[in-house]
Amino acid sequence: NEETSNLTEEKSGFDQTIGTEKNELGKMNGSAKAAELAEEIQRILGRLETDVEKYARLRVASAVLAQAIERYREKHQGPILRRTNDLFSRLTLGSFQGIRAEFVDQDTPVLVGVRPDGKETVGVEGMSDGTTDQLYLALRLASLETYLEANEPMPFIVDDILIKFDNERARVALQILAELSRKTQVIFFTHHRHLVELAEASMDSKILFK
């Protein structure tokens, strides 16, 4: 019995030693895993820092390129666009300073109106019907004037293009048509008597009314 008791006590000691060693081993394994995780985190942070720097440089480069393109466009814009800007500004009574092309949906160019501050823009879908008509008229007139610079005069015939213009914008449009009549014949059809009266009251018109 005494021998059995001694063996049991010795076994208990071994069990305690094994338990202690297991605990230490567990701690060592945990520490190693933690060290590995810490190293992995540092590697990820390093890659993120590099990616963030690249992204920031690309964003800055993109902004600089966009500004350069815009400056080039403004400097080298064609005569039609320059004239359209002037006409559109006049027809909208200064509500817009002009137009410019912007790129959307896979670099598809679209025309937008530019507010007087030069920063705010309005797409055609955001314009009123009257303003859209004024933009269309400005483009048509600018194209025609450019054509007339190198070609024989051709009549410009319009039919009630001012029905969505208020009186002030209609008056300006009629004045612009009168200016065009110095270069070519302008024929304006309308069934609105007030437009005829507006033209007669505001200028010495060369427009033929029917």
Side-chain angles (χ1 to χ4, degrees):
N1 289 335
E2 182 177 354
E3 185 177 354
T4 301
S5 178
N6 288 336
L7 288 173
T8 300
E9 184 176 348
E10 185 176 358
K11 180 180 181 298
S12 178
F14 282 138
D15 287 341
Q16 290 179 4
T17 301
I18 292 172
T20 300
E21 293 298 328
K22 283 184 176 180
N23 287 335
E24 290 299 321
L25 181 61
K27 291 179 181 179
M28 291 177 64
N29 290 339
S31 297
K33 186 63 175 179
E36 291 177 3
L37 289 174
E39 290 178 3
E40 182 63 20
I41 289 172
Q42 290 302 317
R43 285 195 294 270
I44 292 173
L45 289 175
R47 290 197 301 269
L48 283 175
E49 183 176 355
T50 300
D51 291 343
V52 168
E53 289 178 358
K54 289 181 179 178
Y55 177 76
R57 287 197 297 269
L58 288 173
R59 288 288 294 176
V60 171
S62 177
V64 171
L65 179 61
Q67 292 176 359
I69 291 173
E70 183 60 29
R71 286 196 299 269
Y72 180 88
R73 183 184 297 123
E74 291 177 354
K75 181 178 179 180
H76 297 281
Q77 61 184 347
I80 291 178
L81 185 56
R82 285 197 297 270
R83 183 56 176 157
T84 300
N85 286 339
D86 176 57
L87 292 171
F88 189 48
S89 178
R90 288 178 62 186
L91 288 168
T92 60
L93 305 180
S95 178
F96 290 88
Q97 68 167 229
I99 61 172
R100 69 168 175 240
E102 290 190 347
F103 293 88
V104 296
D105 297 335
Q106 299 179 345
D107 297 330
T108 302
V110 296
L111 286 179
V112 297
V114 182
R115 292 295 191 185
D117 61 7
K119 298 178 181 179
E120 182 184 357
T121 61
V122 180
V124 175
E125 70 283 355
M127 298 179 183
S128 67
D129 290 342
T131 301
T132 302
D133 287 350
Q134 288 142 26
L135 173 58
Y136 176 72
L137 179 59
L139 287 165
R140 284 286 307 276
L141 292 174
S143 299
L144 178 59
E145 289 180 3
T146 301
Y147 173 85
L148 292 174
E149 290 177 0
N151 297 276
E152 291 295 323
M154 56 183 296
F156 182 59
I157 303 173
V158 289
D159 184 5
D160 262 338
I161 60 171
L162 308 182
I163 57 175
K164 295 180 181 178
F165 290 33
D166 60 35
N167 282 349
E168 287 304 313
R169 296 190 182 196
R171 180 180 290 107
V172 171
L174 290 168
Q175 290 171 350
I176 291 173
L177 291 176
E179 293 167 8
L180 178 63
S181 71
R182 301 188 185 103
K183 301 176 182 179
T184 190
Q185 184 182 25
V186 176
I187 302 175
F188 179 90
F189 292 93
T190 182
H191 63 277
H192 294 280
R193 181 63 194 176
H194 79 280
L195 291 176
V196 178
E197 296 171 349
L198 188 62
E200 292 173 341
S202 61
M203 61 188 172
D204 178 17
S205 177
K206 295 182 181 180
I207 302 176
L208 174 64
F209 291 94
K210 293 273 186 185

